[in-house]
Amino acid sequence: YQGSFRYYYDYQSQLFAEMGILHLSPEVRGSFDSPAKWRDLIIGDLGGDEILDLHYAARFLEKEFHLPSHKIGLIGGSHGGYSVLRAMTMPEGFKGRQDSSYPYGFGICMAGFADLIDMYHTSNIPDWVVRMLGEFSTNKEKYHDRSPINHFDNLKAPLLIIHGENDARVSSSSMQGLIDKLKSSDKEYELLIQSGVGHGQANLQDLAKEQERILSFVEKQLLK
């Protein structure tokens, strides 16, 4: 991965490379290492144009590597986990655009959040949510509309959800509503709820279990 200011080793990319899987990490609007002008475009617009950037990246893979859309998936953790859910449920016609949705083949959401209202009330960083969407009291409609749980019917592809029971930054309650809907639907999904785990892996054993599940899920989807 090449950010604007530094390089670092990404074991996830290496694992995918070992399996012969192309792993693209686009520097979408709001990316942490981006210059401030690009990074700050996400302020007040969480779940907006940065998700369209993911769609652009997917269409790039289609064009440059001749990949069908059902072989293109998403993976992300925390904010990235939210982005996976939002990208897979974003409605057509968002901001008046006719290219605001994309038929991803699968998604992997790690420590993500599907309900921004719950996230605001339960997270230990509610100030981050406010920075991303504005004051809750005056932007309730935006919080509701940018929440993937409220566009659940748009979810068409298989989903793997990984979450720690002890996550204080992104409470499991912010995913529970989506999980409940999945359980009562005929949509394809897998769950890995880890006891004793917070916002990230507590030890190498938990990390190994997570990666085994991810690689197994991806392999299954790509072999369809």
Side-chain angles (χ1 to χ4, degrees):
Y1 170 84
Q2 178 185 356
S4 300
F5 307 112
R6 59 192 172 94
Y7 293 86
Y8 67 86
Y9 176 80
D10 177 21
Y11 67 83
Q12 189 78 75
S13 295
Q14 296 302 316
L15 287 171
F16 284 141
E18 288 291 329
M19 295 177 68
I21 298 171
L22 175 66
H23 186 205
L24 174 64
S25 181
E27 194 160 359
V28 303
R29 278 166 271 206
S31 294
F32 180 75
D33 281 342
S34 300
K37 186 176 181 179
W38 182 250
R39 182 191 66 224
D40 292 347
L41 288 175
I42 197 174
I43 295 175
D45 192 39
L46 178 68
D49 289 345
E50 90 278 12
I51 305 301
L52 299 180
D53 291 338
L54 291 177
H55 298 343
Y56 298 147
R59 294 183 181 106
F60 168 81
L61 292 175
E62 277 196 72
K63 179 180 178 181
E64 296 297 322
F65 295 92
H66 309 292
L67 294 173
S69 61
H70 71 274
K71 298 290 187 180
I72 299 175
L74 292 164
I75 182 171
S78 193
H79 175 198
Y82 163 78
S83 296
V84 169
L85 299 176
R86 177 62 172 161
M88 296 178 72
T89 60
M90 180 177 272
E92 194 64 82
F94 176 74
K95 291 190 175 182
R97 303 182 63 108
Q98 296 307 308
D99 60 352
S100 61
S101 64
Y102 184 84
Y104 295 99
F106 58 90
I108 302 169
C109 170
M110 302 178 292
F113 41 97
D115 186 338
L116 286 163
I117 294 176
D118 184 273
M119 175 69 174
Y120 169 75
H121 287 298
T122 63
S123 174
N124 63 5
I125 53 166
D127 52 321
W128 178 84
V129 187
V130 170
R131 177 173 169 79
M132 293 295 103
L133 282 175
E135 290 293 338
F136 176 69
S137 61
T138 55
N139 290 279
K140 291 181 181 179
E141 185 175 342
K142 181 184 286 187
Y143 278 65
H144 180 275
D145 184 61
R146 302 290 174 94
S147 294
I149 190 174
N150 296 318
H151 300 282
F152 178 77
D153 290 344
N154 292 331
L155 180 64
K156 306 299 183 185
L159 183 64
L160 169 60
I161 295 173
I162 300 174
H163 212 99
E165 288 184 345
N166 294 348
D167 194 336
R169 177 153 295 182
V170 180
S171 170
S172 59
S173 65
S174 66
M175 284 297 299
Q176 192 58 53
L178 183 73
I179 292 172
D180 289 343
K181 287 191 174 188
L182 285 168
K183 289 180 176 179
S184 62
S185 76
D186 59 357
K187 298 180 188 293
E188 184 180 343
Y189 71 96
E190 293 183 19
L191 292 177
L192 176 58
I193 306 300
Q194 297 175 294
S195 61
V197 174
H199 197 65
Q201 297 304 323
N203 54 58
L204 290 177
Q205 289 76 20
D206 287 328
L207 178 60
K209 183 185 298 183
E210 174 187 275
Q211 292 305 309
E212 287 174 359
R213 191 65 175 273
I214 289 171
L215 295 178
S216 173
F217 177 79
V218 171
E219 184 176 34
K220 180 170 69 175
Q221 302 308 321
L222 293 180
L223 288 176
K224 287 182 176 179

